[in-house]
Amino acid sequence: MKPFDVRLLRYARGVLPLLSWGALLGVLRAIAIVAWAWSIAHLIAWYAKPIMVFDWSVTAYGRVFEGLEDKRQTWIILACAALVVRTAATWLMNWIAERGAATVKHQLRANALAHIDELGPGWVTTQSEAGLTLKLSRGLDALDNYFSQYLPQLFLTITVTPLLVLVLFRVDFLSAIIVVIVFPIIPVFMVLIGLATQGAQDKQWKVLGQLSNAYLDVVRGLPTLKLFRREGRQVERVENITEEYRSRTMKVLRVTFLSGFVLDLAGTFSVALVAVTVGTRLVDGAFPITLALFVLLLVPEVFVPIRQVGAAFHASSEGLTAAQDVFAILEDAGEASNTPATPASDAVVSLDGVQAVRGGVAVAEPVTMTVSPGEIVVLAGPSGVGKTTLLNAMVGTQPFEGALEAAPAAWSGQKPGLLRGTVAENVALGDSSADEALVRTSLDAARLDWLDPSTSLGTSGEGLSGGQAQRLALARALYRLRAHDLPLLVLDEPTSALDAETEQGVIETLRALASEGKGLVVVSHRPAVMEAATRVVRMESRVTA
């Protein structure tokens, strides 16, 4: 797990302003820290001088009060100004980090969704739906901690720490050498603890994915589980996974607390070493008290950023793990896709030895056929022979071998794919605004003349039965066919959930479209649909590797 992945720069341009402003504010904060420590050291030394001297001569103290002048007003003003600048720089850095986090998350999410769209439905079917949702929602949201806590401290480590070390070299070479020698101990501890944290975090993230999948499976299958009275076992299953997730989370927390203790201990020992050498020289009168106080105030500031980076790294580890998954999506090339060519003849579809391909292997027998305008061609055959994948190849979402020419098509698959919203929004999905008259016509043609376009639907078309949802998906395809004047309609099992009377009404709509010169390719097992077809093309066997 890298502290900063350069792929963020490639996939989220919003990181660049964040890095630039972070570096600038880090330098400003370092200057403010130096000014604050210098002024506070002089103020403490001035007010401590009468207490330390008593009745003895100042010369008895060697260089302890060397160069100390009465500039209290100047030091007070400088200390206050430095404190204000430091506070403002820190606040600005956190504000910019939070704004940057929102921008970067939006860009990563948009790029990932765009790439998933390029990979196509075939790729999506190979992924866990709950897993994709988890990565692109909660996973990316966990980057808030990365940008608001971890990244600002990383900026401070890169900018503040080197500048403060250079200042130490200027005022006290010995203390600077001790800091340089001791400082690498903390990053070494961070690496060792980070390896343990990565293992624990990866296991926690994996269990969270299992929990998401299990919950989604239960929700989807709840009606069936209730029907067979098996819901109790699923409750036990979810409880077991939840308990494992709790256990993994506690392990991550234990590692986090342990790492915080180790980093604080290392930082404390480092500061103590410097304090011992400074105190020894101060007692001997070989070191001015102003420089001693300045060094003692400055050394903790050198170690604070790196210690806080280690602590913040654990808070952001979940987001980093999810970001790796998003990068994997963005870098997934998928299968080489090929788009059907535009028909050179009057045919709306022309196939010559076309075979759908998955994983580089043909998964269906070669099909050769031509569909002319005004024809209804039904693809029939046993389940699993590749009828649906052949339709996907026609609409450009499935890789294939052979020669395939297909006109632009309106399409409706086996799953309605309805969204939360009104009926009209679902029918006109993809268009910026719905044509109300065309929505009504499409619903009537799909035998949904009773359905009000303003009716609100729940998630996945909640509120409609299976057959009604199927017809609403058909209405969407009819709307697109009319709205964009497309020559081809491709349907996959459009009447599988319909009763005979309603099915006959849908068939009449398909015949009317054919009479208007539209070409139709329909996958169906239903005898009534096959009887209405101009031709039936049978696919008999599935090709296996």
Side-chain angles (χ1 to χ4, degrees):
M1 189 182 297
K2 302 177 183 178
F4 182 80
D5 199 319
V6 295
R7 288 178 292 182
L8 278 171
L9 300 175
R10 188 190 318 163
Y11 298 120
R13 294 295 181 183
V15 175
L16 290 174
L18 182 60
L19 295 176
S20 303
W21 280 104
L24 179 62
L25 292 171
V27 172
L28 183 62
R29 192 173 186 271
I31 296 172
I33 289 173
V34 172
W36 176 84
W38 184 259
S39 57
I40 291 296
H42 279 77
L43 285 171
I44 294 175
W46 178 262
Y47 286 107
K49 181 178 179 180
I51 302 173
M52 296 177 65
V53 173
F54 294 104
D55 296 328
W56 297 295
S57 171
V58 175
T59 57
Y61 290 88
R63 297 181 57 201
V64 172
F65 296 108
E66 180 181 81
L68 185 60
E69 301 178 21
D70 184 7
K71 296 182 179 180
R72 283 171 291 177
Q73 186 175 2
T74 302
W75 301 135
I76 292 174
I77 294 174
L78 181 59
C80 292
L83 184 61
V84 170
V85 171
R86 178 178 179 176
T87 303
T90 303
W91 181 85
L92 275 174
M93 185 176 291
N94 291 333
W95 181 77
I96 291 173
E98 291 175 359
R99 293 289 298 271
T103 301
V104 170
K105 288 192 302 179
H106 172 74
Q107 292 175 345
L108 284 177
R109 192 171 282 129
N111 288 337
L113 291 173
H115 189 63
I116 290 174
D117 186 53
E118 293 175 0
L119 292 172
W123 180 87
V124 174
T125 57
T126 65
Q127 305 296 310
S128 164
E129 184 177 338
L132 281 177
T133 304
L134 180 65
K135 294 170 186 175
L136 296 177
S137 55
R138 170 174 171 169
L140 285 181
D141 287 338
L143 283 174
D144 284 334
N145 289 331
Y146 177 80
F147 285 99
S148 63
Q149 299 181 31
Y150 173 76
L151 211 54
Q153 296 304 323
L154 186 62
F155 289 145
L156 296 179
T157 303
I158 295 172
T159 56
V160 172
T161 300
L163 290 175
L164 297 186
V165 171
L166 289 176
V167 172
L168 283 176
F169 270 110
R170 178 68 179 83
V171 299
D172 184 17
F173 187 79
L174 179 59
S175 296
I177 289 296
I178 294 174
V179 169
V180 170
I181 293 174
V182 174
F183 188 84
I185 295 176
I186 296 180
V188 170
F189 281 146
M190 287 177 59
V191 171
L192 295 176
I193 296 170
L195 294 176
T197 302
Q198 180 177 359
Q201 184 66 61
D202 289 345
K203 291 177 181 178
Q204 182 206 27
W205 184 251
K206 182 179 179 181
V207 174
L208 181 59
Q210 294 173 351
L211 179 60
S212 301
N213 288 327
Y215 183 75
L216 182 62
D217 289 343
V218 170
V219 171
R220 283 179 170 173
L222 192 57
T224 304
L225 292 171
K226 293 285 288 183
L227 179 64
F228 292 98
R229 299 181 180 178
R230 306 293 287 179
E231 67 274 14
R233 297 189 62 181
Q234 296 303 315
V235 171
E236 181 180 353
R237 176 192 175 201
V238 173
E239 286 179 347
N240 291 338
I241 299 177
T242 302
E243 175 61 25
E244 185 178 359
Y245 178 65
R246 185 200 64 80
S247 175
R248 296 292 183 187
T249 302
M250 293 305 299
K251 289 181 180 179
V252 173
L253 290 176
R254 283 199 294 270
V255 173
T256 300
F257 289 133
L258 177 62
S259 66
F261 171 76
V262 171
L263 294 176
D264 286 340
L265 188 64
T268 301
F269 283 157
S270 303
V271 175
L273 287 174
V274 175
V276 168
T277 60
V278 169
T280 302
R281 287 179 289 161
L282 184 61
V283 170
D284 290 341
F287 203 55
I289 189 173
T290 52
L291 290 183
L293 290 170
F294 178 66
V295 170
L296 291 177
L297 289 170
L298 208 58
V299 169
E301 297 290 350
V302 174
F303 291 98
V304 164
I306 189 68
R307 288 160 58 191
Q308 291 183 344
V309 161
F313 181 77
H314 298 286
S316 63
S317 56
E318 183 178 345
L320 287 173
T321 301
Q324 303 303 315
D325 293 334
V326 174
F327 292 148
I329 292 174
L330 290 167
E331 294 170 355
D332 192 332
E335 292 187 271
S337 60
N338 39 357
T339 304
T342 302
S345 61
D346 293 335
V348 292
V349 175
S350 177
L351 291 80
D352 186 4
V354 172
Q355 292 179 285
V357 175
R358 185 175 294 119
V361 178
V363 294
E365 63 179 9
V367 176
T368 299
M369 71 175 188
T370 300
V371 180
S372 301
E375 281 193 308
I376 302 176
V377 176
V378 172
L379 296 178
S383 297
V385 296
K387 301 185 297 296
T388 296
T389 52
L390 184 62
L391 286 193
N392 293 338
M394 290 183 193
V395 297
T397 61
Q398 174 72 44
F400 61 88
E401 295 177 350
L404 171 57
E405 297 178 349
W411 172 80
S412 177
Q414 290 184 11
K415 296 182 179 180
L418 302 181
L419 305 178
R420 186 182 185 89
T422 65
V423 168
E425 289 171 345
N426 275 276
V427 172
L429 184 66
D431 286 359
S432 56
S433 60
D435 183 330
E436 296 182 4
L438 187 54
V439 168
R440 182 70 269 167
T441 301
S442 302
L443 289 172
D444 293 345
R447 295 306 186 264
L448 290 172
D449 48 289
W450 53 269
L451 185 58
D452 187 349
S454 63
T455 301
S456 295
L457 303 179
T459 304
S460 299
E462 182 182 357
L464 298 178
S465 67
Q468 292 166 352
Q470 190 176 54
R471 280 180 282 162
L472 185 56
L474 173 61
R476 175 191 294 165
L478 297 176
Y479 179 94
R480 183 169 181 81
L481 187 76
R482 300 289 191 190
H484 300 274
D485 193 24
L486 302 177
L488 176 63
L489 179 63
V490 178
L491 304 175
D492 194 351
E493 298 287 1
T495 64
S496 59
L498 305 184
D499 59 77
E501 182 180 352
T502 307
E503 180 183 41
Q504 195 58 44
V506 170
I507 291 174
E508 291 176 4
T509 295
L510 301 184
R511 284 173 171 165
L513 291 173
S515 66
E516 295 175 13
K518 305 292 185 182
L520 285 79
V521 179
V522 184
V523 168
S524 182
H525 293 89
R526 304 284 288 238
V529 176
M530 287 187 276
E531 289 175 4
T534 307
R535 281 181 294 123
V536 176
V537 176
R538 295 193 173 274
M539 301 176 64
E540 299 296 343
S541 60
R542 181 183 180 90
V543 176
T544 57

